[in-house]
Amino acid sequence: MADSDFVVQTEKLCKTFRVGFWGKKVTAVDLLSLEVRRGEVFGFLGPNGAGKTTTLKMLMGLIYPTSGTASIFGHQIGSPDAKGKLGFLPESPYFYDYLTGGEFLRFYGHLFNLWGAALEKRVDELLDTVGMTHAKDLQLRKFSKGMLQRVGIAQALINDPELVVLDEPMSGLDPIGRKEVRDLILRLRESGKTVMFSSHILHDAELLCDRVAMIMKGKLVACGHVSELIAGGTTNEVEMVIDRLLPEALEQISSLASKVVLQGERVMVVLTSQQDVDLALDVIRSAKAKLVALTPHKASLEDLFIREAKGAPPAVEARVA
Amino acid sequence: MKVLSIALNTFRENLRDKLLYNLLIFALLMIGSSILISKLTLGDFDRLMIDIGLASINFFGVLIAIFIGIGLVSKEIDKKTIYTIVSKPVARYQFLLGKYLGLTMTLFVNTTVMVIGLVLVLSARNIPVDMLLFKAVALIFVEFMVITAVAMLFSTFTSTTLSAIFTLAVFVIGHLTPDLKTFGEKMDEVGRMMMDGLYYVLPNLERFNLKGQVIHHLEIANADLALIILYGLTYTAFVLFTAGVIFQRRDFR
Ligand SMILES: Nc1ncnc2c1ncn2[C@@H]1O[C@H](COP(=O)(O)OP(=O)(O)OP(=O)(O)O)[C@@H](O)[C@H]1O
Ligand SMILES: [Mg+2]
């Protein structure tokens, strides 16, 4: 794969903060190497405090790496060339609250030397894109959190960037708002843009991302296609709920199950293979018990997330060349 | 162009700052009250009115320069508004320069308003207004520019409270710099070197003070005036450059 296919590339990126009176070292990002490819939606996942925001701020040139390097479109991060074709939405954005929606976007347009009719057209387009046309003449101080998030996204798109970097774009939005942002991200991808966003909401990432990276305590723990990462985890788990199960039948089933929960008349068991499921069904049928529910456990990013957080099995390596 | 849009945005931000209007109203009240004082005193009241007027313009302008100046950059970092600007192709020194020019515009408008107030008060008492008064105001404005730059420099690396204290100290000591030298001569070797160091590093703000000349109608040569302005602008450029170097290395967190 040619180098130019990498929109973002980081190489052993590290950031340590010094906190407190004694200047105690806190490692927020630890030897992070990853790349984002042209045209993909890239999810940057991790629990609170994992180092997502810190990484994105380094990419934007807001803070400097302690060590390691990174580039955007092959240009060193922080350089004007790296920032020219980029749009960025910071985490929980706060903007100049004395400006109206329109003034706000016009100001950012000026920073890209957009003026006059062309700018006015762009501002109207963007307000429409994020569903904020009604707020063009409303001061930002009167905006709700979700509305701020929306103009924040509009601001990130003002220069029609090739790479859009969003730090928690869905936070603070209602279900409709989240759906709209998801649709917007997909539309951006359709028009050939690269989108990188951070989130700890795995469902959104599963729906949207081509590839994801997961970090914990500043370290990369998994990176690859969503489907591959999920396949790396446990699948085929099935949960059964059974009523009126006689003790001896229960004993037979318990020997197959990985987990048994008794609730009075009712039994809940978890089975891990198709073969065990078939056997259990035979037992249930011959014992004339009643099968109340049978739910396959679909492996999800969430399982991976929780597994990684517990640190049990070794990290999934699904990196593809 | 980027610098100008940031400057205009800063100007707009300043105009919505209540502190600005409070200080402006105080300044105008002071200038106006000199009419009352002049009625109470016998004799040379036009000197007194000019003195009070220029001193009010100077004092309140410096307060605006310090108290808005220290917040210019630190407020943007605290509120994270700087994130969306510095992540655009705007160099950090352009941001700094834009903020600086924005406050300079605000100060210019303010000074103009205060001078109009002074001229109105003076003409109400039939005191002649000559060119020298405006030259004095021009130098006061150059002093504002120096003080704003100093406030900005401090705010790039310390908290707003410390910045305010340091800038006030520079303002006060800056008016006493000639005394620093004489003071140092009475001290031992180390003390003298320190006083000399301060003498050369701190701005010599007394240079911008023409109140005595105005009151006593002592003309100042245009060449001298130009030289003082040049001194002020060079000093400002030096301070802004230092602020830029520090700002460039900072983490915004
Ligand atoms: N300015 C700072 N000073 C000191 N430590 C910091 C600073 N910013 C972040 N950290 C530390 O770095 C680590 C990573 O923080 P970061 O904000 O990058 O996490 P995150 O992944 O964005 O989390 P969240 O999902 O909560 O936004 C945390 O341990 C945090 O305490
Ligand atoms: Mg974060």
Side-chain angles (χ1 to χ4, degrees):
Chain A
M1 196 171 269
D3 253 14
S4 61
D5 287 337
F6 293 139
V7 172
V8 179
Q9 216 170 355
T10 76
E11 185 75 31
K12 301 203 176 111
L13 212 54
C14 292
K15 180 73 192 177
T16 42
F17 290 112
R18 290 189 171 276
V19 294
F21 183 73
W22 303 108
K24 194 168 137 300
K25 275 190 189 173
V26 173
T27 303
V29 176
D30 198 1
L31 291 172
L32 185 70
S33 300
L34 53 81
E35 49 288 311
V36 178
R37 294 170 194 163
R38 192 174 293 277
E40 72 180 357
V41 176
F42 187 88
F44 193 41
L45 311 175
N48 290 130
K52 305 181 294 290
T53 301
T54 306
T55 306
L56 296 184
K57 277 166 74 179
M58 281 194 276
L59 293 178
M60 298 303 114
L62 296 169
I63 57 180
Y64 295 105
T66 311
S67 64
T69 56
S71 63
I72 292 178
F73 299 111
H75 303 290
Q76 198 195 334
I77 46 168
S79 67
D81 284 336
K83 295 192 280 191
K85 292 184 281 182
L86 183 101
F88 176 54
L89 170 74
E91 181 175 36
S92 44
Y94 181 97
F95 303 116
Y96 302 105
D97 56 9
Y98 48 88
L99 298 180
T100 66
E103 286 170 341
F104 172 77
L105 290 179
R106 258 177 248 131
F107 170 61
Y108 287 100
H110 294 331
L111 297 183
F112 285 98
N113 285 326
L114 277 171
W115 299 85
L119 175 61
E120 213 47 42
K121 184 162 160 283
R122 183 84 192 127
V123 167
D124 287 338
E125 258 171 31
L126 281 175
L127 285 172
D128 184 50
T129 308
V130 296
M132 292 284 292
T133 309
H134 62 282
K136 189 174 180 183
D137 298 316
L138 189 69
Q139 275 192 344
L140 261 58
R141 72 170 83 243
K142 294 169 190 154
F143 277 30
S144 72
K145 187 162 183 249
M147 290 164 78
L148 280 176
Q149 193 81 8
R150 285 161 195 250
V151 288
I153 293 173
Q155 159 280 131
L157 300 178
I158 190 90
N159 56 329
D160 195 19
E162 278 179 43
L163 168 67
V164 185
V165 177
L166 309 165
D167 198 354
E168 314 237 357
M170 259 81 89
S171 80
L173 295 180
D174 58 19
I176 301 168
R178 307 172 87 87
K179 167 124 180 25
E180 282 173 5
V181 172
R182 283 204 298 267
D183 290 345
L184 177 66
I185 291 176
L186 292 176
R187 251 183 292 149
L188 286 172
R189 183 177 62 174
E190 262 165 45
S191 57
K193 317 278 186 216
T194 311
V195 181
M196 177 178 190
F197 74 92
S198 81
S199 177
H200 44 239
I201 299 153
L202 300 162
H203 181 64
D204 292 329
E206 251 178 281
L207 288 177
L208 283 173
C209 295
D210 298 300
R211 289 192 320 132
V212 297
M214 198 177 286
I215 64 167
M216 268 169 208
K217 297 191 181 132
K219 286 196 171 68
L220 186 74
V221 291
C223 181
H225 288 272
V226 175
S227 53
E228 289 172 48
L229 289 180
I230 292 173
T234 350
T235 48
N236 305 331
E237 271 194 358
V238 174
E239 183 183 300
M240 271 185 187
V241 181
I242 312 156
D243 270 358
R244 297 196 315 255
L245 198 61
L246 297 172
E248 61 208 70
L250 171 62
E251 210 162 288
Q252 277 178 299
I253 290 183
S254 298
S255 65
L256 300 168
S258 66
K259 189 174 165 195
V260 182
V261 181
L262 288 168
Q263 280 181 323
E265 283 277 272
R266 188 162 280 191
V267 184
M268 199 275 284
V269 293
V270 175
L271 303 165
T272 47
S273 78
Q274 192 57 48
Q275 200 185 356
D276 291 346
V277 173
D278 288 339
L279 289 173
L281 284 174
D282 290 342
V283 176
I284 292 167
R285 232 175 268 130
S286 60
K288 301 232 160 30
K290 188 180 170 208
L291 180 66
V292 181
L294 188 143
T295 339
H297 269 188
K298 205 170 136 261
S300 66
L301 275 178
E302 202 150 313
D303 298 326
L304 181 67
F305 202 73
I306 291 165
R307 216 168 54 235
E308 291 296 346
K310 284 181 184 157
V316 179
E317 270 298 329
R319 316 192 98 224
V320 272
Chain B
M1 261 344 216
K2 291 172 188 171
V3 174
L4 194 64
S5 1
I6 294 173
L8 286 173
N9 193 44
T10 307
F11 179 61
R12 178 151 48 186
E13 178 191 347
N14 292 160
L15 290 191
R16 310 207 182 170
D17 197 331
K18 286 204 183 67
L19 179 68
L20 184 74
Y21 295 100
N22 292 340
L23 290 175
L24 190 59
I25 287 169
F26 263 108
L28 291 175
L29 282 178
M30 280 289 287
I31 295 168
S33 70
S34 66
I35 292 193
L36 291 179
I37 297 169
S38 71
K39 280 187 173 161
L40 296 177
T41 35
L42 294 170
D44 211 357
F45 62 81
D46 50 348
R47 276 191 190 186
L48 192 70
M49 286 183 66
I50 291 175
D51 207 11
I52 292 179
L54 285 178
S56 307
I57 292 175
N58 196 337
F59 180 69
F60 286 98
V62 164
L63 285 189
I64 293 172
I66 293 179
F67 287 102
I68 298 184
I70 53 168
L72 275 184
V73 173
S74 51
K75 227 162 55 187
E76 297 250 358
I77 297 175
D78 289 347
K79 294 186 170 181
K80 303 185 178 176
T81 43
I82 197 171
Y83 290 8
T84 42
I85 298 190
V86 171
S87 61
K88 307 238 179 308
V90 175
R92 290 186 179 191
Y93 77 86
Q94 288 175 319
F95 174 78
L96 213 57
L97 219 52
K99 296 304 285 185
Y100 178 78
L101 285 181
L103 181 49
T104 310
M105 288 179 197
T106 310
L107 281 166
F108 187 80
V109 173
N110 264 279
T111 312
T112 309
V113 172
M114 291 191 285
V115 169
I116 291 173
L118 179 59
V119 169
L120 285 180
V121 170
L122 291 180
S123 50
R125 298 290 290 164
N126 290 322
I127 300 169
V129 175
D130 55 11
M131 201 51 212
L132 198 52
L133 183 83
F134 294 105
K135 287 181 183 168
V137 171
L139 287 192
I140 287 176
F141 186 73
V142 176
E143 181 176 357
F144 294 164
M145 291 179 66
V146 173
I147 294 293
T148 307
V150 170
M152 198 166 210
L153 170 64
F154 284 126
S155 76
T156 54
F157 64 90
T158 57
S159 68
T160 44
T161 320
L162 284 181
S163 303
I165 294 169
F166 288 158
T167 314
L168 268 172
V170 169
F171 172 66
V172 173
I173 302 173
H175 275 285
L176 304 172
T177 44
D179 301 340
L180 285 179
K181 247 191 152 149
T182 30
F183 194 51
E185 274 154 18
K186 294 190 184 109
M187 296 168 91
D188 60 5
E189 189 72 11
V190 183
R192 188 159 64 237
M193 271 167 66
M194 269 176 58
M195 288 299 144
D196 275 2
L198 278 178
Y199 176 79
Y200 289 113
V201 171
L202 293 179
N204 186 350
L205 297 177
E206 263 315 297
R207 283 284 167 85
F208 305 118
N209 185 359
L210 286 190
K211 292 183 202 75
Q213 268 96 330
V214 180
I215 291 169
H216 298 109
H217 303 286
L218 301 172
E219 252 321 315
I220 176 168
N222 279 337
D224 287 344
L225 192 74
L227 211 59
I228 299 172
I229 292 177
L230 189 68
Y231 166 68
L233 295 184
T234 313
Y235 194 89
T236 302
F238 175 73
V239 172
L240 285 181
F241 176 79
T242 313
V245 170
I246 297 173
F247 198 58
Q248 183 63 35
R249 305 159 56 118
R250 257 201 82 160
D251 271 355
F252 300 132
R253 55 186 187 127

